[in-house]
Amino acid sequence: MNFARTPRVTVFPDAQTAARVVAARLASALQDNPQLVLGLATGRTPIPLYAELVRVSAARGLDWSRVTTFNLDEFVGVPPESPGSYRRFMEERLFRHVNLDPHRINFLNGTADPDDECRRYDRAIAAAGGIDVQILGIGTNGHIGFNEPGAGLEARTHRVRLRSETRRSNATLFGGEIDKVPSEALSMGMAAILQARTALLLAHGETKASCIERVVNGPLTTELPASFLQLHADADLILDAAAASRLTGAG
Ligand code: PGA
């Protein structure tokens, strides 16, 4: 079902169906523009999407060699090759399965000097001409990237202290032990996300339903960073039935 409003809302029966549709859309975008600049997200939500993208890439012989990628975030103090890193997640789920040029993969390095690394990342995003399509998940607290709720939001790439609910939801990357989840991360800021030409936010499951309802109907607030997608000219919320369950008229 589609609603004529911003962000657009599309509800699929399940995450797998949503992944198929979004992967097909990304494949077409990549075929139309072989130099696509793609913003990528980690977490449980995009796992079916990356699996489907890998499948579609092989089936259609998609050429990723001129695609540029930027991932949203990385843990401070976690080396790229470490099992808990988001870099490693992306290598395993997508990067090693398609013919991306390693030089065109952009990632925050959690072991670099944080201030220099954040400035480097913003310069790289600008040099690439900004992001064409940004994939987003949403935290149970309404964060996008690691832009956590608070009294203010950062426009630029920055160092962030992670909220306890965010550390908890990342515990599986660290053997299920919340104490091992780093307390800080580097995150792309709100500007690069909101300036992406297209933003696709995926959400699955009942735990996201209340935030999604507020993203659609609530006020803009720094306490719900995803609410700023209401300002985006081309944003989609791509939901399964459970994530959409608090939206009236959805389903
Ligand atoms: P999840 O995380 O996909 O694991 O639910 C989303 C997020 O925190 O942005």
Coordinates of all heavy atoms in Angstrom, one line a residue, residues 43-45 137-139 143 208, ligand 1:
G43 N 23.6 -4.2 10.3 CA 22.5 -4.6 11.2 C 21.8 -5.8 10.6 O 22.1 -6.2 9.5
R44 N 20.8 -6.2 11.4 CA 20.1 -7.4 11.0 C 19.2 -7.1 9.8 O 19.0 -8.0 8.9 CB 19.1 -7.9 12.1 CG 19.9 -8.8 13.2 CD 19.0 -9.1 14.3 NE 18.7 -7.8 15.1 CZ 19.4 -7.3 16.0 NH1 20.5 -8.0 16.4 NH2 19.1 -6.2 16.7
T45 N 18.6 -5.9 9.7 CA 17.6 -5.6 8.7 C 18.1 -5.8 7.3 O 17.3 -6.4 6.5 CB 17.1 -4.1 9.0 OG1 16.7 -4.0 10.3 CG2 16.0 -3.8 8.0
G137 N 18.7 1.5 8.0 CA 17.8 0.8 9.0 C 17.4 1.8 10.0 O 17.6 3.0 9.9
I138 N 16.7 1.4 11.0 CA 16.3 2.3 12.1 C 16.5 1.6 13.4 O 16.1 0.4 13.5 CB 14.8 2.8 11.9 CG1 14.4 3.8 13.0 CG2 13.8 1.6 11.8 CD1 13.1 4.5 12.7
G139 N 17.1 2.2 14.4 CA 17.2 1.6 15.7 C 15.9 1.6 16.4 O 14.9 2.3 16.1
H143 N 17.2 5.9 15.9 CA 18.4 6.4 15.3 C 18.5 5.9 13.8 O 17.9 4.9 13.4 CB 19.7 6.0 16.1 CG 20.1 4.5 16.0 ND1 20.8 3.9 17.0 CD2 19.9 3.6 15.0 CE1 21.0 2.6 16.6 NE2 20.5 2.4 15.5
K208 N 10.0 -2.3 15.8 CA 10.2 -1.0 15.1 C 8.9 -0.3 14.9 O 8.9 0.9 14.5 CB 10.9 -1.3 13.7 CG 12.2 -2.1 13.7 CD 13.3 -1.3 14.4 CE 14.5 -2.1 14.6 NZ 15.3 -2.5 13.4
Ligands
PGA1 P1 18.9 -3.7 13.1 O1 19.6 -2.3 13.4 O2 18.8 -3.8 11.6 O3 19.8 -4.8 13.6 O4 17.5 -3.7 13.7 C1 19.1 -1.2 12.8 C2 19.8 0.0 13.3 O5 20.2 0.0 14.5 O6 20.0 1.0 12.6

